[in-house]
Amino acid sequence: MPRVLIRVFGVALFLSGLLWTLQGLGLVMWPANSFMLGEKEWAAYGVIAAAAGVLMVWVTRRRNDRP
């Protein structure tokens, strides 16, 4: 059960990071009153969060392959 929770959190973190990256780069201007829009530092935070999410999913998938 914990693996499933880690995977769900990893996917959510990846999607959030993707949104932060796109907002920081100014490609997604939603919501209009967000403080992240066009801020390059949030693009960097988003890349880090997305990478962490992918890593979480990858680690839990690798554990399933082991006996």
Side-chain angles (χ1 to χ4, degrees):
M1 185 65 174
R3 287 184 198 155
V4 173
L5 292 175
I6 293 171
R7 281 186 194 167
V8 168
F9 185 71
V11 170
L13 189 59
F14 170 76
L15 294 174
S16 297
L18 185 62
L19 178 62
W20 296 349
T21 301
L22 295 175
Q23 285 178 328
L25 294 174
L27 299 174
V28 172
M29 301 303 278
W30 172 84
N33 60 352
S34 176
F35 59 91
M36 293 188 254
L37 301 178
E39 297 292 329
K40 300 292 186 210
E41 87 181 70
W42 281 101
Y45 295 152
V47 168
I48 293 166
V54 167
L55 183 64
M56 291 172 76
V57 171
W58 181 75
V59 166
T60 58
R61 292 181 65 89
R62 294 271 299 157
R63 285 190 167 185
N64 280 343
D65 294 342
R66 295 181 185 165

